[in-house]
């Protein structure tokens, strides 16, 4: 699974890169039949209400042509990364469930449509 890690100087930190790579591997292992192409951006930001925070953004393209984009900002980089990948797992699971429901519903509609045309 290809992964790109970008952002400011936080993206150069070895511990942060290692955590991101580990989370991407967990995500890929969780959905072995999905081909994921991921791009992770991690950077510091200043929010007037919350002060300095670390923003993590994951953009993952699935083989089914769908895309998952998840963002979160926390005081610690490790917390932001963990929250983003937890939300991404939920989103991918939801997309896969919708795809299964749509595939299951499509064949049952086809015979009904054919009968109406007679």
């Amino acid at each position: 699974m290809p992964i790109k890690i970008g952002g400011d100087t936080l993206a150069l930190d070895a511990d942060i890169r290692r955590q991101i790579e580990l989370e991407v591997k967990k995500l890929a292992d969780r959905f072995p039949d999905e081909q994921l192409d991921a791009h992770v951006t991690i950077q510091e930001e200043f929010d007037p209400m919350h002060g300095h925070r670390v923003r993590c953004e994951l953009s993952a393209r699935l083989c089914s042509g769908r895309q998952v984009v998840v963002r979160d900002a926390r005081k610690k980089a490790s917390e932001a990364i963990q929250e983003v990948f937890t939300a991404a797992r939920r989103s991918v699971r939801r997309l896969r469930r919708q795809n299964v429901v749509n595939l299951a519903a499509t064949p049952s509609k086809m015979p009904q449509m054919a009968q109406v045309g007679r």
Side-chain angles (χ1 to χ4, degrees):
M1 174 172 120
I3 178 173
K4 295 179 185 174
I5 302 173
D8 57 14
T9 56
L10 286 176
L12 301 176
D13 186 87
D15 291 334
I16 291 174
R17 291 184 69 84
R18 196 173 306 116
Q19 182 183 3
I20 290 171
E21 290 167 355
L22 178 66
E23 291 291 337
V24 168
K25 181 170 176 15
K26 281 193 230 177
L27 184 64
D29 290 345
R30 176 76 171 94
F31 305 103
D33 56 331
E34 282 286 345
Q35 177 64 28
L36 299 171
D37 182 20
H39 181 81
V40 179
T41 304
I42 187 153
Q43 56 192 9
E44 288 184 87
E45 69 176 14
F46 181 76
D47 182 1
M49 291 185 66
H50 300 97
H52 288 280
R53 301 173 78 176
V54 176
R55 173 176 290 280
C56 183
E57 178 178 322
L58 167 68
S59 173
R61 193 173 314 267
L62 307 175
C63 67
S64 60
R66 297 183 180 214
Q67 184 175 11
V68 174
V69 178
V70 184
R71 297 178 191 97
D72 200 350
R74 302 288 170 128
K75 291 285 184 186
K76 295 182 180 178
S78 60
E79 292 174 2
I81 294 167
Q82 186 174 7
E83 288 299 318
V84 162
F85 280 94
T86 300
R89 279 189 286 276
R90 281 192 305 260
S91 295
V92 171
R93 194 172 35 237
R94 187 177 313 119
L95 284 174
R96 288 169 49 104
R97 192 175 317 130
Q98 288 174 354
N99 195 24
V100 168
V101 169
N102 289 342
L103 289 176
T106 302
S108 65
K109 290 181 181 177
M110 295 297 274
Q112 292 172 357
M113 289 175 38
Q115 292 173 358
V116 172
R118 288 185 185 183

